[in-house]
Amino acid sequence: MRLKTKVAFLVSCSLLILFVSCKPSKKSDNKAFSTEETLAELDGLLSRLHQIDNTDCKNLDEIVTINERMRRIVENVRTNERFEGLIKSFDKTVHQISFIFSGDKQFAVFSWQTKMDCLGNSIKNIALYKYEDKVKASSLYGNPMVYHRIKSNKQDKNKTLYILEGSYLTEKDLNDLVQSGYKITNGYLAESQIPETEQAYVDNTSL
């Protein structure tokens, strides 16, 4: 009887140690995330993507795989610390990936050319935005374009209208800028109509 008790005790201790050691640590997870390495990895994948020949839908499997990796990297930015770290680390004169953010630093968009033209997805846009104590990710649908600037206007204490300015070309063409509006409602990103007389925008970059 005493032997059985000792065995049960040892098994319980082993399971407890295993559970504690396997339980993910929030601190170690945040420490392992590096904004510089994240941006460098995105740039590296984008460079590989640009080198692949996609004529007549060649190498589509590899192209899709790289795009999926880039998507997962962006969507892994789930905390305010990671989000703010990307904003601080990003340098548009150094990095190849397109990353813009609003003046209030609550909303940002990654854009890149996917080379999946034959699938009708030539450009990928993923928005990151703060909601409560988390960061959420959402694909931007509609006509794909490369976004160059975000303007923001706080309409009341709980609602901010974000106006994205972009173009269907990779280069910034002032004559080709298209605007689209977005609001965050109950944690979800939704398109919003832009008032014709909207004024007093705040933006973080200049064209």
Side-chain angles (χ1 to χ4, degrees):
M1 183 72 178
R2 186 176 299 175
L3 179 60
K4 289 184 178 179
T5 303
K6 287 184 178 180
V7 170
F9 176 75
L10 290 173
V11 170
S12 299
C13 289
S14 299
L15 290 174
L16 180 62
I17 293 171
L18 182 62
F19 174 77
V20 172
S21 62
C22 292
K23 188 176 180 180
S25 171
K26 187 175 181 180
K27 288 185 178 179
S28 61
D29 181 54
N30 286 337
K31 187 176 180 180
F33 182 88
S34 168
T35 54
E36 291 83 1
E37 290 178 5
T38 297
L39 291 169
E41 187 174 3
L42 287 170
D43 281 346
L45 290 169
L46 191 60
S47 294
R48 282 178 55 190
L49 202 57
H50 288 166
Q51 294 169 8
I52 299 175
D53 180 14
N54 67 335
T55 306
D56 298 325
C57 295
K58 290 179 182 177
N59 304 306
L60 188 57
D61 288 344
E62 184 180 2
I63 289 172
V64 170
T65 299
I66 293 176
N67 276 284
E68 279 299 298
R69 284 187 61 186
M70 294 178 71
R71 179 188 62 79
R72 286 195 298 269
I73 290 171
V74 173
E75 292 181 349
N76 191 42
V77 182
R78 294 294 189 181
T79 66
N80 290 336
E81 292 78 13
R82 293 181 179 185
F83 183 86
E84 292 165 4
L86 286 175
I87 291 176
K88 290 179 182 178
S89 300
F90 184 76
D91 184 345
K92 63 181 179 181
T93 64
V94 174
H95 297 107
Q96 297 183 50
I97 190 76
S98 172
F99 180 59
I100 58 170
F101 51 91
S102 60
D104 61 6
K105 298 180 181 179
Q106 302 291 307
F107 188 97
V109 177
F110 275 100
S111 299
W112 70 88
Q113 285 188 302
T114 65
K115 299 196 79 171
M116 295 193 298
D117 303 66
C118 63
L119 297 179
N121 302 315
S122 58
I123 299 173
K124 182 67 174 176
N125 306 119
I126 300 181
L128 298 174
Y129 57 95
K130 292 182 181 180
Y131 182 72
E132 295 181 346
D133 295 327
K134 296 180 180 179
V135 173
K136 292 195 169 188
S138 175
S139 293
L140 297 182
Y141 298 99
N143 294 326
M145 66 181 70
V146 174
Y147 290 103
H148 306 305
R149 180 169 63 183
I150 301 177
K151 297 178 178 180
S152 59
N153 184 15
K154 195 164 187 177
Q155 298 183 319
D156 56 51
K157 64 179 181 179
N158 295 318
K159 296 290 182 182
T160 299
L161 174 65
Y162 295 100
I163 299 178
L164 281 61
E165 293 186 346
S167 63
Y168 300 111
L169 305 174
T170 56
E171 298 298 326
K172 296 178 181 179
D173 185 354
L174 292 173
N175 297 318
D176 186 43
L177 288 181
V178 178
Q179 291 186 336
S180 55
Y182 288 89
K183 286 183 181 179
I184 301 168
T185 304
N186 297 325
Y188 294 96
L189 191 64
E191 288 190 78
S192 178
Q193 187 174 1
I194 303 172
E196 294 181 3
T197 58
E198 201 68 54
Q199 296 179 350
Y201 295 134
V202 178
D203 65 78
N204 67 301
T205 58
S206 58
L207 290 173

